[in-house]
Amino acid sequence: FAVRHDPAHPFIVIAGNRRITDLGTHFFVRHDMGRTEVAVTQGRVRFDAPTAGKPSQVAMLVPGDVATATGNAMSLTRRTSNELLNELSWMHGLLIFKHTALGDAVAEFNRYSQTKLVIADPAVAALEIRGTFRISDAELFARVVRDALKLHVENDGTEIVISR
């Protein structure tokens, strides 16, 4: 989101049971599987994470801050501008992986692709991959994984299974 702050009309994003309030900023929100992540690239954001039976956790985020909330917990980390830009590469049709677990890379591809990638072996999911890939080319990603990591890849037309 890129928002011009208006105190009389705050811009609020609701993701699950989390509330993100703009304080004049550029930020992104990712919410899936009970996990909400908010990262700020410019300006400030207020991030509220309700907790069961306790007052809401509140974090004021500035550029480079990343707040992650799961269940009743919230954590705050810092990332460089380049790391945040890499996470936004999907806006340009790319996925950038740097020492990324293969399981995480596959999950990211599966967000965008009709052809689903499946990892048949949990040990394979822990292997690391790096590279830049077009979001729309899961088949090329699978071929790179096959060649670089010496894995077996089988495409049945609806899914691509990666195994040892």
Side-chain angles (χ1 to χ4, degrees), residues 83-100:
E83 289 171 324
L84 292 177
L85 287 174
N86 285 347
E87 287 191 37
L88 293 174
S89 65
W90 62 268
M91 294 174 65
H92 304 288
L94 299 172
L95 294 174
I96 300 173
F97 304 120
K98 293 186 177 184
H99 304 288
T100 303

Side-chain angles (χ1 to χ4, degrees), residues 2 18-19 29 46 57 69 72 76 81 86 93 96 104 124 126:
R18 314 298 185 199
R19 180 176 56 202
V29 177
R46 176 187 165 114
Q57 293 179 321
N72 294 327
L76 185 63
S81 296
N86 285 347
I96 300 173
D104 293 338
V124 170

Side-chain angles (χ1 to χ4, degrees), residues 1-90:
F1 299 94
V3 181
R4 193 169 116 204
H5 184 58
D6 179 354
H9 303 94
F11 180 78
I12 299 171
V13 175
I14 303 295
N17 66 346
R18 314 298 185 199
R19 180 176 56 202
I20 302 100
T21 305
D22 159 63
L23 300 173
T25 191
H26 292 198
F27 64 101
F28 63 91
V29 177
R30 181 173 183 162
H31 177 76
D32 51 19
M33 301 185 67
R35 180 178 180 267
T36 302
E37 182 178 271
V38 178
V40 178
T41 58
Q42 180 180 331
R44 294 183 311 139
V45 164
R46 176 187 165 114
F47 183 56
D48 297 296
T51 55
K54 299 177 186 173
S56 179
Q57 293 179 321
V58 177
M60 297 301 286
L61 308 178
V62 297
D65 283 348
V66 179
T68 304
T70 57
N72 294 327
M74 180 170 57
S75 64
L76 185 63
T77 58
R78 299 271 311 154
R79 294 203 186 125
T80 67
S81 296
N82 283 342
E83 289 171 324
L84 292 177
L85 287 174
N86 285 347
E87 287 191 37
L88 293 174
S89 65
W90 62 268

